[in-house]
Amino acid sequence: MAAKNFDLIVIGAGPGGYVAAIRAAQLGMNVVVIERENLGGICLNWGCIPTKAMLRSSEVFHLMHRAKEFGLSVDKVSYDLDAVVKRSRGVAKQMEGGVKHLLKKNKVTVIMGEATIPAKGKVSVKTDAGTEELTAKNIVLATGARARNLPGLEADGERVWSYRHALVPPHMPKKLLVIGSGAIGIEFASFYNTLGAETTVVEVMDRVLPVEDAEISAFAKKQFVKQGMTIMEKATVKQLDRAKDKVTAHIESGGKVEKREFDTVISAVGIVGNVEGLGLEALGVKIDRTHVVTDEYCRTGVEGLYAIGDIAGAPWLAHKASHEGVMVAELIAGKHAHPVKPESIAGCTYCHPQVASVGYTEAKAKELGYTVKVGKFPFIGNGKAVALGEPEGLIKTVFDAKTGELLGAHMVGAEVTELIQGYVIGRQLETTEEDLMNTVFPHPTLSEMMHESVLDAYDRVIHM
Ligand SMILES: Cc1cc2nc3c(=O)[nH]c(=O)nc-3n(C[C@H](O)[C@H](O)[C@H](O)COP(=O)(O)OP(=O)(O)OC[C@H]3O[C@@H](n4cnc5c(N)ncnc54)[C@H](O)[C@@H]3O)c2cc1C
């Protein structure tokens, strides 16, 4: 059978791939997207969305326990883990259906199967019905990533889980060890701890959420400890001894190794790019460890072959993948393309309390040679936060003292994952302290704290 020809072949239908396909179709291209598992990729099916659905359940559960504070009463607060998981899976399914609809609406051809690239401009797809051969001048690789398995700490789906197992848990952990305190690890720690699991988090770096500003990490840690978590920093899990009902972890800390028992372990030690089995080596694509090396326009160096999203490296975030998808589609269409500026990509963690940031931390800004002005504002000084019963939190802003450029913003507290976008827009528009100070923020809102933090950096804070 003759190969089918398209203007663009996209491999992988995650937030990188499906968004690239839709934008390319909007620009008039004849596009095919190939997916071996679920439309929407990890994000919609095993990442961003189902975790947020689970965390919403634990948040409501937490609030139900606080009912009395709000003048309410609830008899016997309890949960049904199967029902929590069922809701989360339902939300993921609904989102997957949404992507299917959007691709159809934009006339993107979808082929469910496993793709390889036998030669430049050619893609071979293994489907249930056989093999399909496709050709296109341009190919976008958007095959994403999977959980990293460290030797000895491999997930087995029984007592040791990856994020996939933790989203469809075979049992409710009673004594849980979470290895790694990045966004994925800390979100699961937060979920299971709130539902009552005795939770220990082990982090190899000197603080939890190690990519965040040190003050924000410290603030978040204090809250986690208050909620009953045990946090072990500068500690390493060396070995896991697995038995039928328990796992004994050998944890090294301060030069000593101690053994601790858990009934469940979640391994959240990072991700690796899906670079294997595609034929990339034969094409001459450069791979650095498990990520395809690209330039800022996501070009791989092989003519007509682009890599976007998680397979193209950090930051491993859905919105970065989608932005690259749009950028590549526009580049191929000959439009003016806007590469990702990593320091303008916000990171959000939906633990309790939430954490969100954009740009440089105070330490990084100083390391880069900036003289900084730093502003801070606590949630306790904000009427809306107190009215919501969420007085614990902090908003910190970092400015270049010379130019007034907003270098970074760092937040911990209720709904900060929604608030951060205000600062992202500020950075995109290259605003200075002057613009931010002269902006009128609605009252009463949590966003007023964003204003106050800026005012504080310039010794003009009002409510503190
Ligand atoms: C538990 C968890 C929570 C997360 N939470 C957040 C969050 O809150 N916010 C955020 O921004 N990010 C979050 N992430 C990260 C986010 O999911 C990823 O950054 C995002 O999914 C990357 O998108 P992508 O399109 O590059 O790849 P993916 O979403 O991984 O999609 C790649 C797709 O390619 C398919 N594929 C791979 N190889 C082939 C092949 N050979 N042929 C055909 N198809 C193939 C895969 O099946 C997959 O569907 C989370 C991740 C996890 C694991």
Side-chain angles (χ1 to χ4, degrees):
M1 215 199 318
K4 282 187 204 151
N5 186 54
F6 290 87
D7 297 325
L8 175 66
I9 300 172
V10 180
I11 306 178
Y18 85 75
V19 169
I22 290 175
R23 183 69 189 123
Q26 285 174 348
L27 291 165
M29 287 181 238
N30 180 18
V31 187
V32 58
V33 62
I34 302 152
E35 172 55 53
R36 68 180 177 193
E37 197 183 350
N38 295 112
L39 297 178
I42 292 299
C43 173
L44 267 61
N45 297 281
W46 296 103
C48 325
I49 300 300
T51 47
K52 272 68 230 180
M54 304 253 287
L55 283 157
R56 176 70 170 157
S57 290
S58 63
E59 185 186 359
V60 174
F61 183 68
H62 167 76
L63 283 173
M64 284 163 80
H65 278 285
R66 292 178 55 194
K68 217 171 153 194
E69 260 179 64
F70 296 93
L72 309 171
S73 65
V74 184
D75 284 339
K76 278 198 203 148
V77 178
S78 65
Y79 64 85
D80 171 350
L81 187 62
D82 289 343
V84 169
V85 171
K86 193 171 163 206
R87 175 174 180 276
S88 161
R89 298 320 303 158
V91 170
K93 196 91 221 138
Q94 183 180 336
M95 293 296 114
E96 187 188 11
V99 171
K100 187 175 176 185
H101 165 77
L102 290 174
L103 290 169
K104 191 171 170 200
K105 185 179 136 196
N106 284 282
K107 301 190 174 52
V108 173
T109 303
V110 175
I111 301 178
M112 295 306 291
E114 173 107 23
T116 54
I117 312 176
K120 218 169 88 178
K122 290 192 176 154
V123 169
S124 194
V125 192
K126 243 193 222 155
T127 70
D128 288 345
T131 303
E132 284 200 46
E133 305 296 341
L134 315 173
T135 56
K137 201 168 153 209
N138 292 294
I139 298 172
V140 172
L141 270 175
T143 54
R146 60 186 185 276
R148 179 189 296 280
N149 260 327
L150 289 181
L153 311 185
E154 296 92 348
D156 55 34
E158 288 172 18
R159 295 281 152 194
V160 184
W161 300 347
S162 71
Y163 60 78
R164 286 214 185 207
H165 307 118
L167 279 165
V168 283
H171 60 264
M172 173 64 198
K174 286 196 180 70
K175 234 181 142 190
L176 173 68
L177 168 65
V178 177
I179 311 175
S181 76
I184 294 175
I186 227 59
E187 286 187 6
F188 282 118
S190 208
F191 171 77
Y192 283 109
N193 186 66
T194 304
L195 290 194
E198 193 186 320
T199 303
T200 299
V201 178
V202 171
E203 170 56 53
V204 68
M205 305 297 279
D206 61 356
R207 57 199 167 86
V208 283
L209 294 164
V211 300
E212 300 297 342
D213 187 275
E215 239 172 302
I216 300 294
S217 289
F219 193 105
K221 177 187 170 183
K222 228 168 145 185
Q223 299 301 316
F224 300 150
V225 170
K226 237 172 147 180
Q227 293 160 17
M229 282 190 214
T230 301
I231 305 282
M232 298 178 72
E233 293 159 336
K234 285 199 221 163
T236 314
V237 177
K238 293 296 211 192
Q239 188 181 324
L240 295 176
D241 300 333
R242 302 161 201 238
K244 192 169 176 295
D245 298 326
K246 66 172 184 182
V247 180
T248 307
H250 299 231
I251 307 172
E252 188 182 276
S253 171
K256 277 193 241 145
V257 177
E258 60 169 312
K259 288 186 197 176
R260 290 197 188 196
E261 281 186 3
F262 301 91
D263 65 44
T264 311
V265 176
I266 296 176
S267 176
V269 292
I271 59 159
V272 291
N274 293 324
V275 291
E276 308 85 352
L278 287 157
L280 300 183
E281 299 79 2
L283 288 169
V285 173
K286 255 203 220 146
I287 293 169
D288 174 16
R289 280 158 293 175
T290 70
H291 295 102
V292 171
V293 178
T294 65
D295 66 6
E296 60 173 343
Y297 289 98
C298 297
R299 294 178 291 214
T300 62
V302 175
E303 200 196 338
L305 184 65
Y306 303 81
I308 62 171
D310 279 5
I311 195 186
W316 297 282
L317 293 167
H319 40 292
K320 176 256 192 187
S322 295
H323 184 88
E324 287 181 340
V326 169
M327 193 264 300
V328 159
E330 295 186 345
L331 189 70
I332 293 170
K335 298 229 171 276
H336 180 60
H338 300 267
V340 164
K341 291 187 228 154
E343 64 284 357
S344 290
I345 301 282
C348 298
T349 306
Y350 300 74
C351 45
H352 180 68
Q354 295 183 356
V355 173
S357 60
V358 65
Y360 301 134
T361 61
E362 182 180 350
K364 183 75 192 172
K366 285 180 178 162
E367 189 190 311
L368 291 171
Y370 288 100
T371 304
V372 297
K373 271 192 180 290
V374 174
K376 291 176 207 170
F377 195 82
F379 272 47
I380 189 75
N382 175 266
K384 177 77 181 288
V386 175
L388 290 178
E390 301 286 353
E392 313 274 8
L394 176 71
I395 297 191
K396 174 171 175 177
T397 42
V398 181
F399 288 89
D400 179 349
K402 278 197 201 119
T403 63
E405 182 191 354
L406 175 66
L407 297 173
H410 309 276
M411 306 170 154
V412 53
E415 302 305 334
V416 296
T417 57
E418 293 293 337
L419 296 181
I420 193 71
Q421 186 60 10
Y423 287 135
V424 175
I425 293 173
R427 278 184 61 80
Q428 177 70 17
L429 299 179
E430 298 178 2
T431 53
T432 61
E433 89 291 2
E434 192 71 23
D435 300 318
L436 289 166
M437 285 195 286
N438 291 330
T439 300
V440 182
F441 287 71
H443 176 77
T445 61
L446 298 174
S447 73
E448 288 171 285
M449 292 184 283
M450 297 168 68
H451 193 210
E452 294 276 17
S453 177
V454 176
L455 293 174
D456 183 53
Y458 290 86
D459 300 322
R460 285 180 45 181
V461 69
I462 303 285
H463 292 97
M464 196 170 61

